[in-house]
Amino acid sequence: MTDDIQALIARIEAQERALVFHGFSNDDAWALGSILVELARERVLAVTIDITRGEQQLFHAAMPGTSAHNDAWITRKTRTVREFGVSSLLAGQRAKLGGHSFETAPWIDPMRYAGHGGSFPITVAGVGVVGTVTVSGLPQLEDHALAVEAVTAFLAGA
């Protein structure tokens, strides 16, 4: 199991190194969010999508079948990325590798943070993490994969 976790961590770290933006504007948030909405529509996915830059929410969409509970998960996952500077899945997997769940660490308030997949850092070259793209509604690995797929598609077209 430890080997599986280490392999997943290595894959996520590689994604975070590779998926770097040259800049990130309001228009970029709209375009990235639109990619996610289109993917969700094509696949009939009940997900909520959120994109931020700093503390500002630039894009938010809730597909049919979602609820306000998805927004609560988005808030917790986004805070995790802001606090730790890595994807929420990576934060959770690193804790798991350390022998505990992210939410049971003594320095984590589980009502404010979530080490579950779905929030991916928007990193700008030469600047660092400037925002988040977050998906909620699927199992955590699928939330993460959908966010990564959209960022990859956006960067390929940029």
Side-chain angles (χ1 to χ4, degrees), residues 30-58:
W30 180 263
L32 177 57
S34 297
I35 291 169
L36 275 163
V37 167
E38 188 58 34
L39 290 171
R41 283 184 177 151
E42 287 173 1
R43 299 171 190 173
V44 192
L45 300 175
V47 294
T48 300
I49 300 157
D50 187 83
I51 300 175
T52 67
R53 186 182 57 228
E55 294 289 326
Q56 185 181 19
Q57 183 181 57
L58 300 178

Side-chain angles (χ1 to χ4, degrees), residues 59-125:
F59 186 94
H60 190 85
M63 304 306 292
T66 60
S67 70
H69 189 68
N70 296 105
D71 293 324
W73 273 100
I74 282 172
T75 299
R76 292 171 57 221
K77 292 179 194 183
T78 299
R79 280 188 188 130
T80 298
V81 175
R82 286 185 188 139
E83 182 72 18
F84 295 96
V86 299
S87 67
S88 54
L89 182 60
L90 182 55
Q93 293 303 303
R94 284 179 174 168
K96 190 173 181 180
L97 185 63
H100 59 88
S101 76
F102 178 83
E103 289 78 8
T104 61
W107 55 88
I108 297 297
D109 177 351
M111 298 305 292
R112 294 186 49 80
Y113 300 95
H116 293 266
S119 191
F120 194 83
I122 294 172
T123 303
V124 172

Side-chain angles (χ1 to χ4, degrees), residues 14-33:
Q15 290 169 340
E16 291 185 17
R17 282 191 303 274
L19 298 175
V20 176
F21 295 74
H22 296 292
F24 196 73
S25 68
N26 292 32
D27 288 338
D28 292 333
W30 180 263
L32 177 57

